[in-house]
Amino acid sequence: MHGNPMPDSYVYVTEEGVTRHYADGSVEALAWEDVVEVRVVTEDGADVLYILLDRDGEGCVVPRSATDATFLARLRYLPDFDLERFVVAAESAHDGVVVVWRSPDPPSTLPDLEYD
């Protein structure tokens, strides 16, 4: 049978939050009101990842390939979100993790996360 292969995950962005569904049936979801930090993860040859975290360090990993204008537009509603900083971090040729936004009232610490 011909056709497009099943994606390993897909992302829904709504006014309420972001949800990522994985092919194995697992789900990550985060309400916009709970987002306290946005990270951009770049690695040579891999999809750029956007990490949205809540106060407990839990969150939602969003591949750039799964985003559209709706995702970027919604990020701009975060207080003092700098879209230019976000874009520069995503286009970086350097491997690494960049915190591009923190809530004006963030928790004292968030864990360092490992990414696949």
Side-chain angles (χ1 to χ4, degrees), residues 11 13 50 62-72:
V11 175
V13 178
Y50 306 133
V62 179
R64 177 169 55 185
S65 61
T67 64
D68 60 15
T70 305
F71 179 75
L72 296 177

Side-chain angles (χ1 to χ4, degrees), residues 29-31 34-37 52-60 107 110-111:
L30 188 60
D34 295 333
V35 175
V36 297
E37 187 170 289
L52 309 176
L53 297 171
D54 67 11
R55 292 189 174 285
D56 298 324
E58 298 293 321
C60 190
L110 283 173

Side-chain angles (χ1 to χ4, degrees), residues 21-105:
H21 295 264
Y22 290 86
D24 67 3
S26 61
V27 176
E28 293 176 343
L30 188 60
W32 288 114
E33 66 188 25
D34 295 333
V35 175
V36 297
E37 187 170 289
V38 177
R39 299 176 183 182
V40 174
V41 180
T42 55
E43 186 175 310
D44 189 39
D47 198 0
V48 174
L49 300 176
Y50 306 133
I51 314 297
L52 309 176
L53 297 171
D54 67 11
R55 292 189 174 285
D56 298 324
E58 298 293 321
C60 190
V61 177
V62 179
R64 177 169 55 185
S65 61
T67 64
D68 60 15
T70 305
F71 179 75
L72 296 177
R74 187 56 189 88
L75 284 174
R76 295 179 72 169
Y77 285 101
L78 297 171
D80 299 320
F81 187 82
D82 185 343
L83 188 59
E84 184 175 332
R85 176 177 167 85
F86 178 80
V87 170
V88 167
E91 298 301 323
S92 171
H94 304 289
D95 293 352
V97 179
V98 177
V99 175
V100 294
W101 179 82
R102 278 200 177 109
S103 167
D105 183 31

Side-chain angles (χ1 to χ4, degrees), residues 10-14 17-21 66:
Y10 53 95
V11 175
Y12 288 112
V13 178
T14 66
V18 177
T19 305
R20 181 176 179 188
H21 295 264

